[in-house]
Amino acid sequence: AQRVTQPEKLLSVFKGAPVELKCNYSYSGSPELFWYVQYSRQRLQLLLRHISRESIKGFTADLNKGETSFHLKKPFAQEEDSAMYYCALSGQGGADKLIFGTGTRLQVFP
Amino acid sequence: GAVVSQHPSRVICKSGTSVKIECRSLDFQATTMFWYRQFPKQSLMLMATSNEGSKATYEQGVEKDKFLINHASLTLSTLTVTSAHPEDSSFYICSASIPGTGDYGYTFGSGTRLTVV
C-alpha cells in the first residue's frame, strides 16, 4: 500500500538549532518524493523534490531507499522556517496523484 | 510560474444545498487536476483525480454522486458538493500537475473553506 508516515506532529527548536523532520514511505516501485511547506495563511508550495537534489532555503533531503526514508534537514533553523511541512510521494512519470503524510508543524523559537 | 486560482476561498451554505468550487489554471493547460480535502490539523486526503474530457477517478470511500467533478476544459475543473451536510464542512484544495518534459511538479490552489450550517 502507498503510505507516507511523518511520526512527529510538532517539532519545536530554538533559532540556530539543527532540524530534522522525519518521513518514511511505503510504495511498491520507485516513487518520487517531495517536501511541501505551508506557511501561515498561505497555500501549499513545493519546497524540494528528490529528483532535483537541490537545496532550498537551506533545506536538504536525501532519499534512502534502503530505509525508505526522505528526512528533511536544515543545519541552522530560522524563525521564518516556522510552518507546516508535508512529505509526499507520487508514482514516476508525472501527473500521478500525490499521497501526503500527516504533516509536521515546525516551531522555531527566537 | 504555474498558478492555480481557486474560488471561492470561503463559503457558507445551508444544509441540503449544493456548492460549486472552481479551480482554474491561469498560465498553463492542466490536463490533470486533483481534489483534496483537509480536516482541521490533519493531512490532505486525495478525493479524486480529474482528467480533461474524461470521468474523474475517485478514491476509495469518496461518494461520486456527492462530490461531482467536472473537467470540461484544459483550464477549469469544478467540484460540486451536492446536498451538503454539516459533516461536509472542510477545507477543499485543488491541485494541478505542471506540464513539461521531465517536470512533474504540482501547484496548489489556495483552498476553499466550506461551512455547512
Side-chain angles (χ1 to χ4, degrees):
Chain A
Q2 303 172 14
R3 184 178 299 156
V4 178
T5 302
Q6 292 179 253
E8 304 142 327
K9 286 189 175 182
L10 174 66
L11 183 61
S12 300
V13 300
F14 286 101
K15 177 183 174 181
V19 169
E20 182 179 51
L21 286 76
K22 291 184 169 51
C23 173
N24 288 88
Y25 66 91
S26 174
Y27 188 83
S28 55
S30 297
E32 300 298 340
L33 274 297
F34 306 82
W35 275 100
Y36 282 85
V37 60
Q38 190 170 29
Y39 299 102
S40 179
R41 299 182 186 280
Q42 293 188 29
R43 70 182 66 194
L44 206 62
Q45 56 186 285
L46 179 66
L47 181 62
L48 54 81
R49 52 191 179 185
H50 92 271
I51 57 169
S52 57
R53 301 184 66 81
E54 57 194 347
S55 172
I56 303 295
K57 298 183 179 182
F59 285 97
T60 59
D62 291 321
L63 179 62
N64 186 321
K65 293 185 178 181
E67 296 182 357
T68 59
S69 68
F70 189 57
H71 304 327
L72 182 68
K73 300 177 183 179
K74 185 170 183 176
F76 308 103
Q78 303 298 316
E79 289 180 67
E80 54 266 31
D81 295 330
S82 297
M84 195 73 183
Y85 291 81
Y86 293 96
C87 182
L89 69 77
S90 73
Q92 286 188 335
D96 195 12
K97 59 188 180 185
L98 271 175
I99 305 298
F100 284 88
T102 49
T104 298
R105 181 168 297 283
L106 175 63
Q107 289 183 333
V108 182
F109 296 108
Chain B
V3 176
V4 165
S5 176
Q6 185 173 344
H7 294 281
S9 59
R10 189 181 298 267
V11 58
I12 301 173
C13 71
K14 291 184 177 181
S15 186
T17 61
S18 295
V19 173
K20 180 184 285 187
I21 302 170
E22 291 189 351
C23 184
R24 293 180 184 274
S25 57
L26 298 185
D27 49 5
F28 68 101
Q29 293 184 330
T31 55
T32 304
M33 286 190 173
F34 307 89
W35 287 94
Y36 293 86
R37 182 173 180 177
Q38 187 177 30
F39 292 99
K41 299 186 179 181
Q42 295 188 31
S43 187
L44 288 79
M45 300 297 295
L46 180 66
M47 299 175 65
T49 302
S50 74
N51 292 294
E52 185 268 336
S54 62
K55 290 184 178 180
T57 302
Y58 289 81
E59 295 298 302
Q60 191 172 8
V62 177
E63 298 178 59
K64 302 178 184 181
D65 296 331
K66 182 164 192 59
F67 299 101
L68 300 179
I69 292 173
N70 184 287
H71 194 163
S73 78
L74 287 170
T75 59
L76 174 65
S77 177
T78 61
L79 167 66
T80 302
V81 183
T82 62
S83 187
H85 287 100
E87 56 264 32
D88 298 327
S89 298
S90 191
F91 194 60
Y92 294 87
I93 303 172
C94 70
S95 172
S97 60
I98 304 170
T101 302
D103 180 356
Y104 30 98
Y106 303 82
T107 184
F108 288 81
S110 52
T112 298
R113 183 162 302 284
L114 170 63
T115 303
V116 184
V117 297

